[in-house]
Amino acid sequence: MILVTGGAGFIGSNFILDWIAATGEPVVNLDKLTYAGNLESLASLKDDARHLFVRGDVNDRELVAKLLAGHKPRAIIHFAAESHVDRSISGPDEFIQTNINGTFSLLEATRAYWQELGGVEKDAFRFLHVSTDEVYGSLGPGDPPFSETTAYAPNSPYSASKAASDHLVRAYHHTYGLPMLTTNCSNNYGAFQFPEKLIPLVLLNALNGKPLPIYGNGLNVRDWLYVGDHCAAIREVLAGGRLGETYNIGGWNEKTNLDVVNTVCAILDEMKPAANGKPYASLITYVKDRPGHDARYAINARKIERELGWKPKETFETGIRKTVAWYLDNMGWVEHVVSGEYQAWVGRHYG
Ligand code: NAD
Ligand code: DAU
């Protein structure tokens, strides 16, 4: 079996569903259930013995040690993190606690566990750390995309905390020989994404006739990766990645934020036209920019393609249609995650 941290979040829950469907191998899911964690995303596994949920903090070294000793996982996939850049700007503490200290605690517990394993189990063990392209900083319009050798230059408290965790992972491989793999991926989108992030936020605001907030001039560029493609990439890196290496994962889909929002609006116009007959894009509203807003992210994902044969299956056009359709079909999930805490964040952040 494998241990997944942060498996009730957006990517973690997609990963567990994908993993069990693809491999049938059991998963222990350790998640603190912050505002971003939601067990409803895993409702289809409710009576499935292959998914064991444990509520807890990755900082709780005793709990992690107990889980490792009790379940003897052959691998750990570490998703747990505070993940929203805007929240890291208004309150960085939790980002330091979970992303840096939490990763450190998990590494210490893993080191103690791994050192006690016998020959074959020790050789087969893997720790896969899920990180972000934001650690590389911001690109200019003509710069080549981030590769695995691009120097780190994180610009937000979030990306700085992820960069610190990547460095710890690297050091544990070099110093202790822990069998580490790191992945740095671009902006994910798809089912079960919490509506603080651009795509689900815009989608839900549009359906509710609310303004669609575009930071600055809307020309910042992100690379968009369909979450199902990301899950498949993680499986490939876990199975065949070279120890101590990092793999960039991207969708080859660079888009400005305005392009993304206009695309979501156009699909909604087609799938669920507004009652007042107006195009949803008429709700676009330019708001104050994010402080330190990175201009452009782009990923060179040739290494994972060359070494492991992984390429994304979805284009942005196919993935975004699936995503919009999923939200329209799952408004019950949305209503449940849009809690008091979510309302408070929207009130504080957007006024
Ligand atoms: P998310 O915010 O949706 O989910 C994070 C999960 O971690 C939640 O279930 C939360 O309850 C859990 N968690 C938080 N603190 C914890 C703690 N101390 N102990 C245990 N569990 C804790 O995040 P996501 O978008 O699914 O991202 C998952 C990982 O992928 C993160 O490490 C993030 O940095 C990375 N990443 C995300 C994206 C993206 O576009 N979403 C892109 C690149 C990398
Ligand atoms: O690049 C990978 C990263 O992608 C991950 O590491 C992060 O966990 C994830 O949150 C995401 O970070 P971004 O900051 O790029 O994602 P977000 O959805 O917050 O914003 C996407 C772009 O849209 C960004 O340029 C800011 C802009 N934006 C966002 C929001 C929430 C707006 O214009 N308006 C908004 O209301």
Side-chain angles (χ1 to χ4, degrees), residues 132-133 135-137 139 144-153 166-167 170 182-184 242 244-249 298-304 306-307:
T132 171
D133 59 1
V135 298
Y136 300 121
L139 295 168
F146 302 131
S147 77
E148 289 78 1
T149 55
T150 302
Y152 273 38
D166 293 9
H167 291 325
R170 177 188 162 87
T182 298
T183 55
N184 294 82
R242 287 185 291 127
E245 292 288 316
T246 66
Y247 292 88
N248 282 357
I249 307 173
I299 283 261
N300 175 341
R302 289 286 176 233
K303 178 176 173 183
I304 185 171
R306 196 175 57 245
E307 292 191 10

mmCIF file of all heavy atoms in Angstrom, residues 132-133 135-137 139 144-153 166-167 170 182-184 242 244-249 298-304 306-307:
data_model
loop_
_atom_site.group_PDB
_atom_site.id
_atom_site.type_symbol
_atom_site.label_atom_id
_atom_site.label_comp_id
_atom_site.label_asym_id
_atom_site.label_seq_id
_atom_site.Cartn_x
_atom_site.Cartn_y
_atom_site.Cartn_z
ATOM 1 N N THR A 132 5.789 22.650 -7.174
ATOM 2 C CA THR A 132 5.162 23.571 -8.129
ATOM 3 C C THR A 132 6.190 24.246 -9.031
ATOM 4 O O THR A 132 7.358 24.409 -8.638
ATOM 5 C CB THR A 132 4.390 24.654 -7.334
ATOM 6 O OG1 THR A 132 3.963 25.671 -8.233
ATOM 7 C CG2 THR A 132 5.243 25.307 -6.258
ATOM 8 N N ASP A 133 5.722 24.715 -10.190
ATOM 9 C CA ASP A 133 6.606 25.485 -11.072
ATOM 10 C C ASP A 133 6.893 26.879 -10.508
ATOM 11 O O ASP A 133 7.821 27.549 -10.961
ATOM 12 C CB ASP A 133 6.014 25.596 -12.490
ATOM 13 C CG ASP A 133 4.646 26.267 -12.558
ATOM 14 O OD1 ASP A 133 4.110 26.681 -11.511
ATOM 15 O OD2 ASP A 133 4.107 26.390 -13.683
ATOM 16 N N VAL A 135 8.284 27.751 -7.926
ATOM 17 C CA VAL A 135 9.598 27.876 -7.266
ATOM 18 C C VAL A 135 10.622 28.527 -8.200
ATOM 19 O O VAL A 135 11.617 29.080 -7.748
ATOM 20 C CB VAL A 135 10.149 26.507 -6.776
ATOM 21 C CG1 VAL A 135 9.231 25.891 -5.745
ATOM 22 C CG2 VAL A 135 10.376 25.551 -7.947
ATOM 23 N N TYR A 136 10.372 28.462 -9.519
ATOM 24 C CA TYR A 136 11.334 29.012 -10.485
ATOM 25 C C TYR A 136 11.154 30.512 -10.712
ATOM 26 O O TYR A 136 11.896 31.111 -11.498
ATOM 27 C CB TYR A 136 11.200 28.298 -11.831
ATOM 28 C CG TYR A 136 11.447 26.797 -11.795
ATOM 29 C CD1 TYR A 136 10.460 25.893 -12.192
ATOM 30 C CD2 TYR A 136 12.674 26.285 -11.392
ATOM 31 C CE1 TYR A 136 10.689 24.524 -12.188
ATOM 32 C CE2 TYR A 136 12.905 24.912 -11.392
ATOM 33 C CZ TYR A 136 11.907 24.038 -11.786
ATOM 34 O OH TYR A 136 12.137 22.691 -11.795
ATOM 35 N N GLY A 137 10.108 31.097 -10.124
ATOM 36 C CA GLY A 137 9.913 32.536 -10.267
ATOM 37 C C GLY A 137 9.078 32.890 -11.479
ATOM 38 O O GLY A 137 8.166 32.149 -11.833
ATOM 39 N N LEU A 139 8.733 34.387 -15.598
ATOM 40 C CA LEU A 139 9.396 34.501 -16.905
ATOM 41 C C LEU A 139 8.985 35.777 -17.622
ATOM 42 O O LEU A 139 7.855 36.254 -17.454
ATOM 43 C CB LEU A 139 8.993 33.313 -17.787
ATOM 44 C CG LEU A 139 9.435 31.924 -17.346
ATOM 45 C CD1 LEU A 139 8.714 30.856 -18.168
ATOM 46 C CD2 LEU A 139 10.949 31.774 -17.486
ATOM 47 N N PRO A 144 12.815 31.212 -22.362
ATOM 48 C CA PRO A 144 12.484 29.793 -22.534
ATOM 49 C C PRO A 144 11.729 29.272 -21.310
ATOM 50 O O PRO A 144 11.889 29.810 -20.210
ATOM 51 C CB PRO A 144 13.854 29.114 -22.647
ATOM 52 C CG PRO A 144 14.827 30.077 -22.076
ATOM 53 C CD PRO A 144 14.250 31.448 -22.212
ATOM 54 N N PRO A 145 10.889 28.250 -21.473
ATOM 55 C CA PRO A 145 10.135 27.712 -20.336
ATOM 56 C C PRO A 145 11.048 27.149 -19.248
ATOM 57 O O PRO A 145 12.225 26.846 -19.508
ATOM 58 C CB PRO A 145 9.293 26.596 -20.952
ATOM 59 C CG PRO A 145 9.621 26.525 -22.382
ATOM 60 C CD PRO A 145 10.613 27.571 -22.735
ATOM 61 N N PHE A 146 10.508 26.998 -18.043
ATOM 62 C CA PHE A 146 11.277 26.423 -16.923
ATOM 63 C C PHE A 146 11.702 25.001 -17.269
ATOM 64 O O PHE A 146 10.877 24.188 -17.713
ATOM 65 C CB PHE A 146 10.415 26.315 -15.664
ATOM 66 C CG PHE A 146 9.819 27.610 -15.173
ATOM 67 C CD1 PHE A 146 8.465 27.678 -14.862
ATOM 68 C CD2 PHE A 146 10.610 28.742 -14.974
ATOM 69 C CE1 PHE A 146 7.900 28.858 -14.376
ATOM 70 C CE2 PHE A 146 10.053 29.922 -14.480
ATOM 71 C CZ PHE A 146 8.688 29.976 -14.182
ATOM 72 N N SER A 147 12.978 24.688 -17.005
ATOM 73 C CA SER A 147 13.412 23.289 -17.087
ATOM 74 C C SER A 147 13.862 22.889 -15.688
ATOM 75 O O SER A 147 13.885 23.723 -14.775
ATOM 76 C CB SER A 147 14.554 23.141 -18.091
ATOM 77 O OG SER A 147 15.745 23.612 -17.490
ATOM 78 N N GLU A 148 14.251 21.639 -15.538
ATOM 79 C CA GLU A 148 14.641 21.137 -14.219
ATOM 80 C C GLU A 148 15.916 21.803 -13.713
ATOM 81 O O GLU A 148 16.237 21.702 -12.522
ATOM 82 C CB GLU A 148 14.821 19.614 -14.251
ATOM 83 C CG GLU A 148 13.526 18.815 -14.384
ATOM 84 C CD GLU A 148 12.957 18.774 -15.807
ATOM 85 O OE1 GLU A 148 13.562 19.358 -16.731
ATOM 86 O OE2 GLU A 148 11.897 18.145 -15.984
ATOM 87 N N THR A 149 16.662 22.471 -14.615
ATOM 88 C CA THR A 149 17.896 23.124 -14.176
ATOM 89 C C THR A 149 17.739 24.638 -14.007
ATOM 90 O O THR A 149 18.710 25.332 -13.688
ATOM 91 C CB THR A 149 19.051 22.847 -15.169
ATOM 92 O OG1 THR A 149 18.616 23.253 -16.468
ATOM 93 C CG2 THR A 149 19.441 21.385 -15.187
ATOM 94 N N THR A 150 16.533 25.157 -14.211
ATOM 95 C CA THR A 150 16.302 26.587 -13.981
ATOM 96 C C THR A 150 16.559 26.896 -12.502
ATOM 97 O O THR A 150 16.143 26.123 -11.623
ATOM 98 C CB THR A 150 14.837 26.953 -14.343
ATOM 99 O OG1 THR A 150 14.611 26.610 -15.706
ATOM 100 C CG2 THR A 150 14.566 28.436 -14.132
ATOM 101 N N ALA A 151 17.241 28.036 -12.255
ATOM 102 C CA ALA A 151 17.549 28.395 -10.861
ATOM 103 C C ALA A 151 16.262 28.746 -10.106
ATOM 104 O O ALA A 151 15.332 29.311 -10.688
ATOM 105 C CB ALA A 151 18.483 29.593 -10.845
ATOM 106 N N TYR A 152 16.242 28.403 -8.827
ATOM 107 C CA TYR A 152 15.077 28.750 -7.997
ATOM 108 C C TYR A 152 15.042 30.256 -7.740
ATOM 109 O O TYR A 152 16.077 30.861 -7.445
ATOM 110 C CB TYR A 152 15.139 27.999 -6.656
ATOM 111 C CG TYR A 152 14.512 26.618 -6.703
ATOM 112 C CD1 TYR A 152 14.643 25.803 -7.817
ATOM 113 C CD2 TYR A 152 13.773 26.126 -5.623
ATOM 114 C CE1 TYR A 152 14.063 24.544 -7.867
ATOM 115 C CE2 TYR A 152 13.198 24.864 -5.664
ATOM 116 C CZ TYR A 152 13.342 24.083 -6.792
ATOM 117 O OH TYR A 152 12.763 22.834 -6.840
ATOM 118 N N ALA A 153 13.851 30.859 -7.846
ATOM 119 C CA ALA A 153 13.687 32.296 -7.561
ATOM 120 C C ALA A 153 12.243 32.554 -7.109
ATOM 121 O O ALA A 153 11.504 33.286 -7.765
ATOM 122 C CB ALA A 153 14.013 33.115 -8.807
ATOM 123 N N ASP A 166 11.320 21.767 -1.160
ATOM 124 C CA ASP A 166 12.075 21.057 -2.216
ATOM 125 C C ASP A 166 13.543 20.902 -1.807
ATOM 126 O O ASP A 166 14.163 19.853 -2.040
ATOM 127 C CB ASP A 166 12.044 21.854 -3.537
ATOM 128 C CG ASP A 166 10.657 21.936 -4.163
ATOM 129 O OD1 ASP A 166 9.679 21.533 -3.528
ATOM 130 O OD2 ASP A 166 10.565 22.431 -5.312
ATOM 131 N N HIS A 167 14.080 21.945 -1.194
ATOM 132 C CA HIS A 167 15.494 21.884 -0.788
ATOM 133 C C HIS A 167 15.699 20.838 0.310
ATOM 134 O O HIS A 167 16.706 20.120 0.325
ATOM 135 C CB HIS A 167 15.968 23.255 -0.303
ATOM 136 C CG HIS A 167 16.051 24.279 -1.405
ATOM 137 N ND1 HIS A 167 16.419 23.982 -2.696
ATOM 138 C CD2 HIS A 167 15.812 25.603 -1.411
ATOM 139 C CE1 HIS A 167 16.411 25.067 -3.438
ATOM 140 N NE2 HIS A 167 16.023 26.071 -2.686
ATOM 141 N N ARG A 170 15.670 17.466 -1.338
ATOM 142 C CA ARG A 170 16.957 17.254 -2.030
ATOM 143 C C ARG A 170 18.045 16.875 -1.012
ATOM 144 O O ARG A 170 18.808 15.933 -1.198
ATOM 145 C CB ARG A 170 17.328 18.554 -2.755
ATOM 146 C CG ARG A 170 18.662 18.510 -3.441
ATOM 147 C CD ARG A 170 19.042 19.900 -3.964
ATOM 148 N NE ARG A 170 20.464 19.925 -4.225
ATOM 149 C CZ ARG A 170 21.006 19.543 -5.376
ATOM 150 N NH1 ARG A 170 20.263 19.148 -6.365
ATOM 151 N NH2 ARG A 170 22.318 19.561 -5.540
ATOM 152 N N THR A 182 11.044 14.280 -6.922
ATOM 153 C CA THR A 182 10.300 15.537 -6.806
ATOM 154 C C THR A 182 9.667 15.857 -8.154
ATOM 155 O O THR A 182 10.301 15.687 -9.202
ATOM 156 C CB THR A 182 11.247 16.693 -6.399
ATOM 157 O OG1 THR A 182 11.799 16.392 -5.120
ATOM 158 C CG2 THR A 182 10.510 18.026 -6.321
ATOM 159 N N THR A 183 8.407 16.307 -8.105
ATOM 160 C CA THR A 183 7.754 16.771 -9.333
ATOM 161 C C THR A 183 7.383 18.241 -9.162
ATOM 162 O O THR A 183 6.942 18.650 -8.089
ATOM 163 C CB THR A 183 6.484 15.949 -9.644
ATOM 164 O OG1 THR A 183 5.615 15.972 -8.510
ATOM 165 C CG2 THR A 183 6.825 14.508 -9.987
ATOM 166 N N ASN A 184 7.586 19.030 -10.198
ATOM 167 C CA ASN A 184 7.215 20.461 -10.190
ATOM 168 C C ASN A 184 6.242 20.673 -11.345
ATOM 169 O O ASN A 184 6.634 20.549 -12.509
ATOM 170 C CB ASN A 184 8.447 21.344 -10.388
ATOM 171 C CG ASN A 184 9.414 21.237 -9.214
ATOM 172 O OD1 ASN A 184 10.211 20.300 -9.155
ATOM 173 N ND2 ASN A 184 9.335 22.152 -8.292
ATOM 174 N N ARG A 242 14.031 8.410 -11.754
ATOM 175 C CA ARG A 242 15.368 8.148 -11.202
ATOM 176 C C ARG A 242 15.512 8.826 -9.852
ATOM 177 O O ARG A 242 15.137 9.991 -9.683
ATOM 178 C CB ARG A 242 16.441 8.655 -12.170
ATOM 179 C CG ARG A 242 16.567 7.767 -13.405
ATOM 180 C CD ARG A 242 17.715 8.207 -14.296
ATOM 181 N NE ARG A 242 17.475 9.483 -14.939
ATOM 182 C CZ ARG A 242 18.314 10.521 -14.900
ATOM 183 N NH1 ARG A 242 19.453 10.434 -14.229
ATOM 184 N NH2 ARG A 242 18.027 11.647 -15.514
ATOM 185 N N GLY A 244 16.403 10.845 -6.631
ATOM 186 C CA GLY A 244 17.068 12.130 -6.435
ATOM 187 C C GLY A 244 16.792 13.129 -7.547
ATOM 188 O O GLY A 244 17.244 14.261 -7.487
ATOM 189 N N GLU A 245 16.025 12.709 -8.568
ATOM 190 C CA GLU A 245 15.764 13.599 -9.717
ATOM 191 C C GLU A 245 14.478 14.396 -9.520
ATOM 192 O O GLU A 245 13.589 13.990 -8.762
ATOM 193 C CB GLU A 245 15.609 12.764 -10.996
ATOM 194 C CG GLU A 245 16.883 12.095 -11.438
ATOM 195 C CD GLU A 245 17.904 13.067 -12.018
ATOM 196 O OE1 GLU A 245 17.520 13.939 -12.807
ATOM 197 O OE2 GLU A 245 19.096 12.946 -11.666
ATOM 198 N N THR A 246 14.399 15.505 -10.242
ATOM 199 C CA THR A 246 13.132 16.240 -10.306
ATOM 200 C C THR A 246 12.593 16.134 -11.730
ATOM 201 O O THR A 246 13.361 16.018 -12.694
ATOM 202 C CB THR A 246 13.289 17.730 -9.929
ATOM 203 O OG1 THR A 246 14.082 18.356 -10.926
ATOM 204 C CG2 THR A 246 13.949 17.900 -8.590
ATOM 205 N N TYR A 247 11.272 16.153 -11.834
ATOM 206 C CA TYR A 247 10.598 16.076 -13.137
ATOM 207 C C TYR A 247 9.585 17.210 -13.227
ATOM 208 O O TYR A 247 8.720 17.335 -12.360
ATOM 209 C CB TYR A 247 9.881 14.724 -13.292
ATOM 210 C CG TYR A 247 10.859 13.567 -13.403
ATOM 211 C CD1 TYR A 247 11.338 12.919 -12.257
ATOM 212 C CD2 TYR A 247 11.341 13.154 -14.642
ATOM 213 C CE1 TYR A 247 12.263 11.886 -12.347
ATOM 214 C CE2 TYR A 247 12.266 12.117 -14.741
ATOM 215 C CZ TYR A 247 12.720 11.494 -13.588
ATOM 216 O OH TYR A 247 13.646 10.473 -13.687
ATOM 217 N N ASN A 248 9.716 18.038 -14.256
ATOM 218 C CA ASN A 248 8.719 19.081 -14.504
ATOM 219 C C ASN A 248 7.534 18.477 -15.251
ATOM 220 O O ASN A 248 7.719 17.701 -16.201
ATOM 221 C CB ASN A 248 9.317 20.201 -15.361
ATOM 222 C CG ASN A 248 10.195 21.136 -14.545
ATOM 223 O OD1 ASN A 248 10.312 20.987 -13.329
ATOM 224 N ND2 ASN A 248 10.807 22.094 -15.209
ATOM 225 N N ILE A 249 6.328 18.871 -14.822
ATOM 226 C CA ILE A 249 5.108 18.344 -15.451
ATOM 227 C C ILE A 249 4.265 19.533 -15.908
ATOM 228 O O ILE A 249 3.904 20.384 -15.093
ATOM 229 C CB ILE A 249 4.297 17.484 -14.448
ATOM 230 C CG1 ILE A 249 5.177 16.390 -13.828
ATOM 231 C CG2 ILE A 249 3.089 16.859 -15.141
ATOM 232 C CD1 ILE A 249 4.499 15.611 -12.705
ATOM 233 N N ALA A 298 5.854 28.906 -17.561
ATOM 234 C CA ALA A 298 5.773 27.967 -18.689
ATOM 235 C C ALA A 298 6.700 26.802 -18.374
ATOM 236 O O ALA A 298 7.759 26.993 -17.779
ATOM 237 C CB ALA A 298 6.205 28.661 -19.972
ATOM 238 N N ILE A 299 6.294 25.626 -18.760
ATOM 239 C CA ILE A 299 7.030 24.412 -18.374
ATOM 240 C C ILE A 299 7.576 23.692 -19.602
ATOM 241 O O ILE A 299 6.837 23.460 -20.568
ATOM 242 C CB ILE A 299 6.061 23.448 -17.629
ATOM 243 C CG1 ILE A 299 5.827 23.906 -16.192
ATOM 244 C CG2 ILE A 299 6.549 22.026 -17.676
ATOM 245 C CD1 ILE A 299 6.639 23.210 -15.147
ATOM 246 N N ASN A 300 8.850 23.339 -19.523
ATOM 247 C CA ASN A 300 9.428 22.430 -20.511
ATOM 248 C C ASN A 300 9.304 21.027 -19.910
ATOM 249 O O ASN A 300 10.018 20.689 -18.968
ATOM 250 C CB ASN A 300 10.898 22.809 -20.741
ATOM 251 C CG ASN A 300 11.592 21.842 -21.665
ATOM 252 O OD1 ASN A 300 11.133 20.714 -21.862
ATOM 253 N ND2 ASN A 300 12.699 22.268 -22.246
ATOM 254 N N ALA A 301 8.393 20.232 -20.457
ATOM 255 C CA ALA A 301 8.125 18.897 -19.891
ATOM 256 C C ALA A 301 8.751 17.784 -20.734
ATOM 257 O O ALA A 301 8.232 16.668 -20.791
ATOM 258 C CB ALA A 301 6.620 18.696 -19.752
ATOM 259 N N ARG A 302 9.880 18.091 -21.382
ATOM 260 C CA ARG A 302 10.527 17.087 -22.251
ATOM 261 C C ARG A 302 11.221 15.972 -21.461
ATOM 262 O O ARG A 302 11.317 14.842 -21.928
ATOM 263 C CB ARG A 302 11.565 17.751 -23.157
ATOM 264 C CG ARG A 302 10.981 18.604 -24.241
ATOM 265 C CD ARG A 302 10.354 17.783 -25.374
ATOM 266 N NE ARG A 302 9.736 18.693 -26.312
ATOM 267 C CZ ARG A 302 8.477 18.624 -26.738
ATOM 268 N NH1 ARG A 302 7.675 17.660 -26.336
ATOM 269 N NH2 ARG A 302 7.994 19.496 -27.581
ATOM 270 N N LYS A 303 11.706 16.287 -20.252
ATOM 271 C CA LYS A 303 12.462 15.254 -19.523
ATOM 272 C C LYS A 303 11.553 14.069 -19.179
ATOM 273 O O LYS A 303 11.907 12.913 -19.409
ATOM 274 C CB LYS A 303 13.062 15.855 -18.247
ATOM 275 C CG LYS A 303 13.833 14.845 -17.397
ATOM 276 C CD LYS A 303 14.476 15.527 -16.201
ATOM 277 C CE LYS A 303 15.099 14.526 -15.254
ATOM 278 N NZ LYS A 303 15.667 15.187 -14.059
ATOM 279 N N ILE A 304 10.368 14.358 -18.656
ATOM 280 C CA ILE A 304 9.458 13.261 -18.279
ATOM 281 C C ILE A 304 8.979 12.521 -19.534
ATOM 282 O O ILE A 304 8.765 11.308 -19.511
ATOM 283 C CB ILE A 304 8.287 13.786 -17.404
ATOM 284 C CG1 ILE A 304 7.414 12.628 -16.923
ATOM 285 C CG2 ILE A 304 7.454 14.831 -18.087
ATOM 286 C CD1 ILE A 304 6.376 13.021 -15.888
ATOM 287 N N ARG A 306 10.777 12.185 -22.354
ATOM 288 C CA ARG A 306 11.924 11.419 -22.871
ATOM 289 C C ARG A 306 12.215 10.202 -22.008
ATOM 290 O O ARG A 306 12.378 9.086 -22.493
ATOM 291 C CB ARG A 306 13.136 12.362 -22.874
ATOM 292 C CG ARG A 306 14.320 11.930 -23.686
ATOM 293 C CD ARG A 306 15.398 13.015 -23.708
ATOM 294 N NE ARG A 306 15.869 13.403 -22.382
ATOM 295 C CZ ARG A 306 15.702 14.612 -21.850
ATOM 296 N NH1 ARG A 306 15.081 15.563 -22.527
ATOM 297 N NH2 ARG A 306 16.157 14.888 -20.628
ATOM 298 N N GLU A 307 12.235 10.413 -20.672
ATOM 299 C CA GLU A 307 12.669 9.326 -19.787
ATOM 300 C C GLU A 307 11.548 8.357 -19.444
ATOM 301 O O GLU A 307 11.790 7.172 -19.226
ATOM 302 C CB GLU A 307 13.226 9.911 -18.481
ATOM 303 C CG GLU A 307 14.533 10.655 -18.695
ATOM 304 C CD GLU A 307 15.234 11.000 -17.383
ATOM 305 O OE1 GLU A 307 14.813 10.505 -16.313
ATOM 306 O OE2 GLU A 307 16.209 11.762 -17.447
#
